[in-house]
Amino acid sequence: MIRFSKKIEYALGTLQFLGLHQNTPISARELSIKLKIPYEFLSKTLQQLARSGIVIANYGIKGGYHLAKKPSEIHFSDIIDALDENASVVDCVDGLEASCERYNYCNIKNPLLELQSKIFELIRSTTLEDLLKDFKSTKFDVANLDC
Amino acid sequence: MIRFSKKIEYALGTLQFLGLHQNTPISARELSIKLKIPYEFLSKTLQQLARSGIVIANYGIKGGYHLAKKPSEIHFSDIIDALDENASVVDCVDGLEASCERYNYCNIKNPLLELQSKIFELIRSTTLEDLLKDFKSTKFDVANLDC
DNA sequence: TAAAATACGATTATTTTAATCGTATATTTA
DNA sequence: TAAATATACGATTAAAATAATCGTATTTTA
Ligand code: SF4
Ligand code: SF4
């Protein structure tokens, strides 16, 4: 199996929402309710995104989170990195041979690394803007969206 | 995270080995030893590959497994399908709305499905031949390979 | 007919992912 | 300046997915 984790899905949905409301900070609590994501989990995810400079945290009574950059500058690969996940099809990527016990006698790694770099390129070239363009093109009334 | 399972890796290594010895059937036991894969696990994996017409099982005292088709005709997507795994980046692929509880209010699925179809295409277009070409090009002495 | 091989359901162990808990800290505004 | 509203984050628990193992049956051929 090869799949995005829930954490990544949550992050994508959240960033999309923030992208639709770029002017005002939105609290983790509100995001959690609107997007039906467990608060503590989302909260921690937002903290990770903040540490990586993808969103900005605003403290205080009217605080919340907002995007730190333009949607077109937020690559999926950045998001995955920020969440400490990785998109490697195999373990032995980072040159850390130790990461896989069969590294030395493994004859499939090179072709797999090739495939992986192609997948990486796809993920890198997808940005938050791709999550927003449907809304743009259909001129959705953002204010009235449940989500 | 987005990664091939061990089962898939084992299958790829095994098919590569079978591809290097296309003339003679090789028993699950021998494959398990040569490739250092737990026997029962590999055995079941081979059965799945056999059911899907990727390898052919030969019973009896000189039996074993051999490839059912040319390497160029064995796509990675076939292998993944055979092993009952899938390469979907998200759950909601198959049009089974029920597969995800948030389907109805989810606004990220369309762009993700787009990304997914590109990844699918990469996986489909990679074949067992890609796992063998290094051996071909370097004129490896297959007979002397440990693996 | 015995040996060597595959077939396969069922169970257990391990690892990864997801969710929750508890407490500390920062900021704003009334 | 105090109370309310937020974020910060380590630690723990729960749930799910993956990997490994067990036990027994069936098939073929030397
Ligand atoms: S070395 Fe081979 S077996 Fe190990 S992670 Fe890489 S591809 Fe997989
Ligand atoms: S519907 Fe949305 S949340 Fe559900 S699996 Fe698809 S992309 Fe993910």
PDB file of all heavy atoms in Angstrom, chain D residues 7-18:
ATOM      1  P    DT D   7      -5.100  28.574  18.260  1.00  0.00           P
ATOM      2  OP1  DT D   7      -5.179  28.670  16.803  1.00  0.00           O
ATOM      3  OP2  DT D   7      -5.760  27.464  18.980  1.00  0.00           O
ATOM      4  O5'  DT D   7      -3.556  28.568  18.720  1.00  0.00           O
ATOM      5  C5'  DT D   7      -2.684  29.575  18.233  1.00  0.00           C
ATOM      6  C4'  DT D   7      -1.367  29.490  18.974  1.00  0.00           C
ATOM      7  O4'  DT D   7      -1.602  29.377  20.401  1.00  0.00           O
ATOM      8  C3'  DT D   7      -0.502  28.280  18.610  1.00  0.00           C
ATOM      9  O3'  DT D   7       0.864  28.685  18.602  1.00  0.00           O
ATOM     10  C2'  DT D   7      -0.764  27.310  19.738  1.00  0.00           C
ATOM     11  C1'  DT D   7      -0.919  28.253  20.915  1.00  0.00           C
ATOM     12  N1   DT D   7      -1.695  27.671  22.034  1.00  0.00           N
ATOM     13  C2   DT D   7      -1.071  27.447  23.245  1.00  0.00           C
ATOM     14  O2   DT D   7       0.108  27.707  23.445  1.00  0.00           O
ATOM     15  N3   DT D   7      -1.867  26.890  24.221  1.00  0.00           N
ATOM     16  C4   DT D   7      -3.191  26.564  24.110  1.00  0.00           C
ATOM     17  O4   DT D   7      -3.811  26.079  25.059  1.00  0.00           O
ATOM     18  C5   DT D   7      -3.785  26.820  22.816  1.00  0.00           C
ATOM     19  C7   DT D   7      -5.242  26.496  22.577  1.00  0.00           C
ATOM     20  C6   DT D   7      -3.024  27.345  21.853  1.00  0.00           C
ATOM     21  P    DA D   8       2.033  27.628  18.292  1.00  0.00           P
ATOM     22  OP1  DA D   8       3.230  28.370  17.836  1.00  0.00           O
ATOM     23  OP2  DA D   8       1.439  26.595  17.416  1.00  0.00           O
ATOM     24  O5'  DA D   8       2.349  26.962  19.707  1.00  0.00           O
ATOM     25  C5'  DA D   8       3.218  27.630  20.599  1.00  0.00           C
ATOM     26  C4'  DA D   8       3.929  26.599  21.483  1.00  0.00           C
ATOM     27  O4'  DA D   8       3.010  26.106  22.483  1.00  0.00           O
ATOM     28  C3'  DA D   8       4.457  25.366  20.750  1.00  0.00           C
ATOM     29  O3'  DA D   8       5.784  25.145  21.211  1.00  0.00           O
ATOM     30  C2'  DA D   8       3.496  24.257  21.133  1.00  0.00           C
ATOM     31  C1'  DA D   8       3.009  24.705  22.508  1.00  0.00           C
ATOM     32  N9   DA D   8       1.634  24.312  22.840  1.00  0.00           N
ATOM     33  C8   DA D   8       0.520  24.465  22.051  1.00  0.00           C
ATOM     34  N7   DA D   8      -0.601  24.049  22.615  1.00  0.00           N
ATOM     35  C5   DA D   8      -0.193  23.594  23.868  1.00  0.00           C
ATOM     36  C6   DA D   8      -0.903  23.024  24.946  1.00  0.00           C
ATOM     37  N6   DA D   8      -2.222  22.820  24.946  1.00  0.00           N
ATOM     38  N1   DA D   8      -0.195  22.680  26.044  1.00  0.00           N
ATOM     39  C2   DA D   8       1.124  22.896  26.050  1.00  0.00           C
ATOM     40  N3   DA D   8       1.908  23.416  25.089  1.00  0.00           N
ATOM     41  C4   DA D   8       1.176  23.754  24.021  1.00  0.00           C
ATOM     42  P    DC D   9       6.734  24.077  20.502  1.00  0.00           P
ATOM     43  OP1  DC D   9       8.120  24.517  20.735  1.00  0.00           O
ATOM     44  OP2  DC D   9       6.252  23.818  19.138  1.00  0.00           O
ATOM     45  O5'  DC D   9       6.481  22.767  21.368  1.00  0.00           O
ATOM     46  C5'  DC D   9       6.670  22.800  22.787  1.00  0.00           C
ATOM     47  C4'  DC D   9       6.215  21.479  23.363  1.00  0.00           C
ATOM     48  O4'  DC D   9       4.798  21.502  23.659  1.00  0.00           O
ATOM     49  C3'  DC D   9       6.399  20.289  22.408  1.00  0.00           C
ATOM     50  O3'  DC D   9       6.949  19.236  23.135  1.00  0.00           O
ATOM     51  C2'  DC D   9       4.990  19.938  21.992  1.00  0.00           C
ATOM     52  C1'  DC D   9       4.289  20.243  23.309  1.00  0.00           C
ATOM     53  N1   DC D   9       2.807  20.265  23.243  1.00  0.00           N
ATOM     54  C2   DC D   9       2.087  19.928  24.395  1.00  0.00           C
ATOM     55  O2   DC D   9       2.709  19.654  25.431  1.00  0.00           O
ATOM     56  N3   DC D   9       0.732  19.906  24.340  1.00  0.00           N
ATOM     57  C4   DC D   9       0.112  20.210  23.199  1.00  0.00           C
ATOM     58  N4   DC D   9      -1.221  20.185  23.203  1.00  0.00           N
ATOM     59  C5   DC D   9       0.825  20.563  22.018  1.00  0.00           C
ATOM     60  C6   DC D   9       2.159  20.575  22.085  1.00  0.00           C
ATOM     61  P    DG D  10       8.203  18.408  22.536  1.00  0.00           P
ATOM     62  OP1  DG D  10       9.377  19.266  22.349  1.00  0.00           O
ATOM     63  OP2  DG D  10       7.643  17.648  21.400  1.00  0.00           O
ATOM     64  O5'  DG D  10       8.511  17.406  23.727  1.00  0.00           O
ATOM     65  C5'  DG D  10       8.642  17.924  25.054  1.00  0.00           C
ATOM     66  C4'  DG D  10       7.881  17.041  26.025  1.00  0.00           C
ATOM     67  O4'  DG D  10       6.451  17.250  25.865  1.00  0.00           O
ATOM     68  C3'  DG D  10       8.115  15.550  25.802  1.00  0.00           C
ATOM     69  O3'  DG D  10       8.234  14.936  27.091  1.00  0.00           O
ATOM     70  C2'  DG D  10       6.861  15.098  25.069  1.00  0.00           C
ATOM     71  C1'  DG D  10       5.798  15.998  25.703  1.00  0.00           C
ATOM     72  N9   DG D  10       4.615  16.206  24.893  1.00  0.00           N
ATOM     73  C8   DG D  10       4.556  16.617  23.571  1.00  0.00           C
ATOM     74  N7   DG D  10       3.335  16.724  23.113  1.00  0.00           N
ATOM     75  C5   DG D  10       2.536  16.356  24.187  1.00  0.00           C
ATOM     76  C6   DG D  10       1.123  16.276  24.287  1.00  0.00           C
ATOM     77  O6   DG D  10       0.273  16.523  23.434  1.00  0.00           O
ATOM     78  N1   DG D  10       0.722  15.863  25.552  1.00  0.00           N
ATOM     79  C2   DG D  10       1.573  15.559  26.584  1.00  0.00           C
ATOM     80  N2   DG D  10       1.014  15.179  27.732  1.00  0.00           N
ATOM     81  N3   DG D  10       2.893  15.640  26.503  1.00  0.00           N
ATOM     82  C4   DG D  10       3.306  16.040  25.281  1.00  0.00           C
ATOM     83  P    DA D  11       8.674  13.396  27.230  1.00  0.00           P
ATOM     84  OP1  DA D  11       9.594  13.289  28.373  1.00  0.00           O
ATOM     85  OP2  DA D  11       9.085  12.906  25.881  1.00  0.00           O
ATOM     86  O5'  DA D  11       7.291  12.698  27.601  1.00  0.00           O
ATOM     87  C5'  DA D  11       6.455  13.308  28.585  1.00  0.00           C
ATOM     88  C4'  DA D  11       5.229  12.448  28.794  1.00  0.00           C
ATOM     89  O4'  DA D  11       4.181  12.853  27.868  1.00  0.00           O
ATOM     90  C3'  DA D  11       5.464  10.960  28.548  1.00  0.00           C
ATOM     91  O3'  DA D  11       4.804  10.222  29.567  1.00  0.00           O
ATOM     92  C2'  DA D  11       4.839  10.720  27.179  1.00  0.00           C
ATOM     93  C1'  DA D  11       3.692  11.730  27.168  1.00  0.00           C
ATOM     94  N9   DA D  11       3.302  12.168  25.835  1.00  0.00           N
ATOM     95  C8   DA D  11       4.128  12.497  24.788  1.00  0.00           C
ATOM     96  N7   DA D  11       3.490  12.865  23.704  1.00  0.00           N
ATOM     97  C5   DA D  11       2.150  12.756  24.049  1.00  0.00           C
ATOM     98  C6   DA D  11       0.959  12.997  23.344  1.00  0.00           C
ATOM     99  N6   DA D  11       0.933  13.413  22.081  1.00  0.00           N
ATOM    100  N1   DA D  11      -0.207  12.794  23.999  1.00  0.00           N
ATOM    101  C2   DA D  11      -0.178  12.373  25.270  1.00  0.00           C
ATOM    102  N3   DA D  11       0.877  12.118  26.047  1.00  0.00           N
ATOM    103  C4   DA D  11       2.027  12.326  25.374  1.00  0.00           C
ATOM    104  P    DT D  12       4.984   8.651  29.667  1.00  0.00           P
ATOM    105  OP1  DT D  12       5.250   8.319  31.082  1.00  0.00           O
ATOM    106  OP2  DT D  12       5.895   8.189  28.591  1.00  0.00           O
ATOM    107  O5'  DT D  12       3.509   8.166  29.315  1.00  0.00           O
ATOM    108  C5'  DT D  12       2.400   8.882  29.861  1.00  0.00           C
ATOM    109  C4'  DT D  12       1.135   8.492  29.133  1.00  0.00           C
ATOM    110  O4'  DT D  12       1.114   9.116  27.827  1.00  0.00           O
ATOM    111  C3'  DT D  12       0.987   6.988  28.885  1.00  0.00           C
ATOM    112  O3'  DT D  12      -0.182   6.551  29.543  1.00  0.00           O
ATOM    113  C2'  DT D  12       0.866   6.863  27.365  1.00  0.00           C
ATOM    114  C1'  DT D  12       0.423   8.250  26.948  1.00  0.00           C
ATOM    115  N1   DT D  12       0.790   8.636  25.558  1.00  0.00           N
ATOM    116  C2   DT D  12      -0.209   8.997  24.688  1.00  0.00           C
ATOM    117  O2   DT D  12      -1.389   9.005  24.990  1.00  0.00           O
ATOM    118  N3   DT D  12       0.220   9.358  23.437  1.00  0.00           N
ATOM    119  C4   DT D  12       1.534   9.392  22.985  1.00  0.00           C
ATOM    120  O4   DT D  12       1.787   9.738  21.843  1.00  0.00           O
ATOM    121  C5   DT D  12       2.536   8.993  23.954  1.00  0.00           C
ATOM    122  C7   DT D  12       3.975   8.993  23.575  1.00  0.00           C
ATOM    123  C6   DT D  12       2.120   8.646  25.177  1.00  0.00           C
ATOM    124  P    DT D  13      -0.527   5.004  29.618  1.00  0.00           P
ATOM    125  OP1  DT D  13      -1.116   4.761  30.943  1.00  0.00           O
ATOM    126  OP2  DT D  13       0.622   4.204  29.119  1.00  0.00           O
ATOM    127  O5'  DT D  13      -1.692   4.897  28.537  1.00  0.00           O
ATOM    128  C5'  DT D  13      -2.778   5.820  28.580  1.00  0.00           C
ATOM    129  C4'  DT D  13      -3.627   5.636  27.343  1.00  0.00           C
ATOM    130  O4'  DT D  13      -2.932   6.144  26.186  1.00  0.00           O
ATOM    131  C3'  DT D  13      -3.975   4.175  27.030  1.00  0.00           C
ATOM    132  O3'  DT D  13      -5.382   4.103  26.936  1.00  0.00           O
ATOM    133  C2'  DT D  13      -3.250   3.891  25.718  1.00  0.00           C
ATOM    134  C1'  DT D  13      -3.155   5.278  25.098  1.00  0.00           C
ATOM    135  N1   DT D  13      -2.026   5.494  24.148  1.00  0.00           N
ATOM    136  C2   DT D  13      -2.303   6.022  22.905  1.00  0.00           C
ATOM    137  O2   DT D  13      -3.429   6.307  22.532  1.00  0.00           O
ATOM    138  N3   DT D  13      -1.204   6.225  22.098  1.00  0.00           N
ATOM    139  C4   DT D  13       0.109   5.947  22.406  1.00  0.00           C
ATOM    140  O4   DT D  13       0.997   6.182  21.601  1.00  0.00           O
ATOM    141  C5   DT D  13       0.336   5.395  23.727  1.00  0.00           C
ATOM    142  C7   DT D  13       1.726   5.055  24.149  1.00  0.00           C
ATOM    143  C6   DT D  13      -0.732   5.198  24.519  1.00  0.00           C
ATOM    144  P    DA D  14      -6.103   2.755  26.469  1.00  0.00           P
ATOM    145  OP1  DA D  14      -7.427   2.738  27.125  1.00  0.00           O
ATOM    146  OP2  DA D  14      -5.177   1.613  26.615  1.00  0.00           O
ATOM    147  O5'  DA D  14      -6.328   3.029  24.921  1.00  0.00           O
ATOM    148  C5'  DA D  14      -6.910   4.259  24.522  1.00  0.00           C
ATOM    149  C4'  DA D  14      -7.336   4.154  23.078  1.00  0.00           C
ATOM    150  O4'  DA D  14      -6.192   4.364  22.219  1.00  0.00           O
ATOM    151  C3'  DA D  14      -7.928   2.811  22.682  1.00  0.00           C
ATOM    152  O3'  DA D  14      -9.008   3.115  21.825  1.00  0.00           O
ATOM    153  C2'  DA D  14      -6.760   2.094  21.999  1.00  0.00           C
ATOM    154  C1'  DA D  14      -5.998   3.255  21.367  1.00  0.00           C
ATOM    155  N9   DA D  14      -4.558   3.099  21.252  1.00  0.00           N
ATOM    156  C8   DA D  14      -3.675   2.637  22.197  1.00  0.00           C
ATOM    157  N7   DA D  14      -2.423   2.661  21.812  1.00  0.00           N
ATOM    158  C5   DA D  14      -2.480   3.178  20.525  1.00  0.00           C
ATOM    159  C6   DA D  14      -1.480   3.455  19.573  1.00  0.00           C
ATOM    160  N6   DA D  14      -0.183   3.254  19.763  1.00  0.00           N
ATOM    161  N1   DA D  14      -1.885   3.971  18.383  1.00  0.00           N
ATOM    162  C2   DA D  14      -3.184   4.185  18.183  1.00  0.00           C
ATOM    163  N3   DA D  14      -4.210   3.965  19.002  1.00  0.00           N
ATOM    164  C4   DA D  14      -3.784   3.459  20.167  1.00  0.00           C
ATOM    165  P    DA D  15      -9.848   1.922  21.136  1.00  0.00           P
ATOM    166  OP1  DA D  15     -11.243   2.405  20.964  1.00  0.00           O
ATOM    167  OP2  DA D  15      -9.554   0.631  21.820  1.00  0.00           O
ATOM    168  O5'  DA D  15      -9.190   1.880  19.695  1.00  0.00           O
ATOM    169  C5'  DA D  15      -9.216   3.062  18.898  1.00  0.00           C
ATOM    170  C4'  DA D  15      -8.517   2.761  17.607  1.00  0.00           C
ATOM    171  O4'  DA D  15      -7.119   2.515  17.840  1.00  0.00           O
ATOM    172  C3'  DA D  15      -9.053   1.533  16.864  1.00  0.00           C
ATOM    173  O3'  DA D  15      -9.378   2.008  15.585  1.00  0.00           O
ATOM    174  C2'  DA D  15      -7.870   0.544  16.868  1.00  0.00           C
ATOM    175  C1'  DA D  15      -6.684   1.480  16.972  1.00  0.00           C
ATOM    176  N9   DA D  15      -5.475   0.953  17.578  1.00  0.00           N
ATOM    177  C8   DA D  15      -5.340   0.240  18.745  1.00  0.00           C
ATOM    178  N7   DA D  15      -4.098  -0.058  19.040  1.00  0.00           N
ATOM    179  C5   DA D  15      -3.368   0.500  18.004  1.00  0.00           C
ATOM    180  C6   DA D  15      -1.979   0.536  17.723  1.00  0.00           C
ATOM    181  N6   DA D  15      -1.062  -0.030  18.510  1.00  0.00           N
ATOM    182  N1   DA D  15      -1.602   1.174  16.593  1.00  0.00           N
ATOM    183  C2   DA D  15      -2.536   1.739  15.816  1.00  0.00           C
ATOM    184  N3   DA D  15      -3.844   1.770  15.974  1.00  0.00           N
ATOM    185  C4   DA D  15      -4.201   1.128  17.091  1.00  0.00           C
ATOM    186  P    DA D  16     -10.106   1.024  14.511  1.00  0.00           P
ATOM    187  OP1  DA D  16     -11.159   1.836  13.864  1.00  0.00           O
ATOM    188  OP2  DA D  16     -10.420  -0.280  15.134  1.00  0.00           O
ATOM    189  O5'  DA D  16      -8.941   0.806  13.452  1.00  0.00           O
ATOM    190  C5'  DA D  16      -8.192   1.940  13.021  1.00  0.00           C
ATOM    191  C4'  DA D  16      -6.974   1.464  12.286  1.00  0.00           C
ATOM    192  O4'  DA D  16      -6.010   0.937  13.223  1.00  0.00           O
ATOM    193  C3'  DA D  16      -7.245   0.350  11.274  1.00  0.00           C
ATOM    194  O3'  DA D  16      -6.775   0.833  10.053  1.00  0.00           O
ATOM    195  C2'  DA D  16      -6.436  -0.847  11.813  1.00  0.00           C
ATOM    196  C1'  DA D  16      -5.354  -0.157  12.623  1.00  0.00           C
ATOM    197  N9   DA D  16      -4.777  -0.926  13.720  1.00  0.00           N
ATOM    198  C8   DA D  16      -5.410  -1.595  14.726  1.00  0.00           C
ATOM    199  N7   DA D  16      -4.589  -2.151  15.591  1.00  0.00           N
ATOM    200  C5   DA D  16      -3.346  -1.818  15.108  1.00  0.00           C
ATOM    201  C6   DA D  16      -2.045  -2.106  15.570  1.00  0.00           C
ATOM    202  N6   DA D  16      -1.789  -2.813  16.670  1.00  0.00           N
ATOM    203  N1   DA D  16      -1.008  -1.613  14.862  1.00  0.00           N
ATOM    204  C2   DA D  16      -1.266  -0.887  13.758  1.00  0.00           C
ATOM    205  N3   DA D  16      -2.429  -0.559  13.224  1.00  0.00           N
ATOM    206  C4   DA D  16      -3.437  -1.061  13.964  1.00  0.00           C
ATOM    207  P    DA D  17      -7.021   0.020   8.692  1.00  0.00           P
ATOM    208  OP1  DA D  17      -7.453   1.022   7.707  1.00  0.00           O
ATOM    209  OP2  DA D  17      -7.796  -1.228   8.923  1.00  0.00           O
ATOM    210  O5'  DA D  17      -5.522  -0.407   8.341  1.00  0.00           O
ATOM    211  C5'  DA D  17      -4.525   0.589   8.436  1.00  0.00           C
ATOM    212  C4'  DA D  17      -3.170  -0.065   8.349  1.00  0.00           C
ATOM    213  O4'  DA D  17      -2.876  -0.758   9.579  1.00  0.00           O
ATOM    214  C3'  DA D  17      -3.049  -1.098   7.231  1.00  0.00           C
ATOM    215  O3'  DA D  17      -1.854  -0.796   6.558  1.00  0.00           O
ATOM    216  C2'  DA D  17      -2.992  -2.437   7.981  1.00  0.00           C
ATOM    217  C1'  DA D  17      -2.334  -2.023   9.287  1.00  0.00           C
ATOM    218  N9   DA D  17      -2.652  -2.867  10.431  1.00  0.00           N
ATOM    219  C8   DA D  17      -3.874  -3.309  10.839  1.00  0.00           C
ATOM    220  N7   DA D  17      -3.837  -4.037  11.934  1.00  0.00           N
ATOM    221  C5   DA D  17      -2.495  -4.064  12.258  1.00  0.00           C
ATOM    222  C6   DA D  17      -1.790  -4.676  13.313  1.00  0.00           C
ATOM    223  N6   DA D  17      -2.376  -5.395  14.267  1.00  0.00           N
ATOM    224  N1   DA D  17      -0.446  -4.508  13.335  1.00  0.00           N
ATOM    225  C2   DA D  17       0.133  -3.778  12.384  1.00  0.00           C
ATOM    226  N3   DA D  17      -0.415  -3.161  11.353  1.00  0.00           N
ATOM    227  C4   DA D  17      -1.748  -3.347  11.337  1.00  0.00           C
ATOM    228  P    DT D  18      -1.414  -1.638   5.251  1.00  0.00           P
ATOM    229  OP1  DT D  18      -0.861  -0.655   4.322  1.00  0.00           O
ATOM    230  OP2  DT D  18      -2.479  -2.583   4.860  1.00  0.00           O
ATOM    231  O5'  DT D  18      -0.201  -2.494   5.830  1.00  0.00           O
ATOM    232  C5'  DT D  18       0.751  -1.840   6.646  1.00  0.00           C
ATOM    233  C4'  DT D  18       1.687  -2.853   7.252  1.00  0.00           C
ATOM    234  O4'  DT D  18       1.030  -3.572   8.308  1.00  0.00           O
ATOM    235  C3'  DT D  18       2.206  -3.896   6.277  1.00  0.00           C
ATOM    236  O3'  DT D  18       3.619  -3.752   6.328  1.00  0.00           O
ATOM    237  C2'  DT D  18       1.690  -5.226   6.831  1.00  0.00           C
ATOM    238  C1'  DT D  18       1.477  -4.899   8.297  1.00  0.00           C
ATOM    239  N1   DT D  18       0.438  -5.643   9.045  1.00  0.00           N
ATOM    240  C2   DT D  18       0.801  -6.242  10.236  1.00  0.00           C
ATOM    241  O2   DT D  18       1.951  -6.232  10.668  1.00  0.00           O
ATOM    242  N3   DT D  18      -0.221  -6.869  10.902  1.00  0.00           N
ATOM    243  C4   DT D  18      -1.542  -6.935  10.524  1.00  0.00           C
ATOM    244  O4   DT D  18      -2.361  -7.521  11.219  1.00  0.00           O
ATOM    245  C5   DT D  18      -1.867  -6.285   9.283  1.00  0.00           C
ATOM    246  C7   DT D  18      -3.279  -6.289   8.787  1.00  0.00           C
ATOM    247  C6   DT D  18      -0.877  -5.674   8.611  1.00  0.00           C
TER     248       DT D  18
END
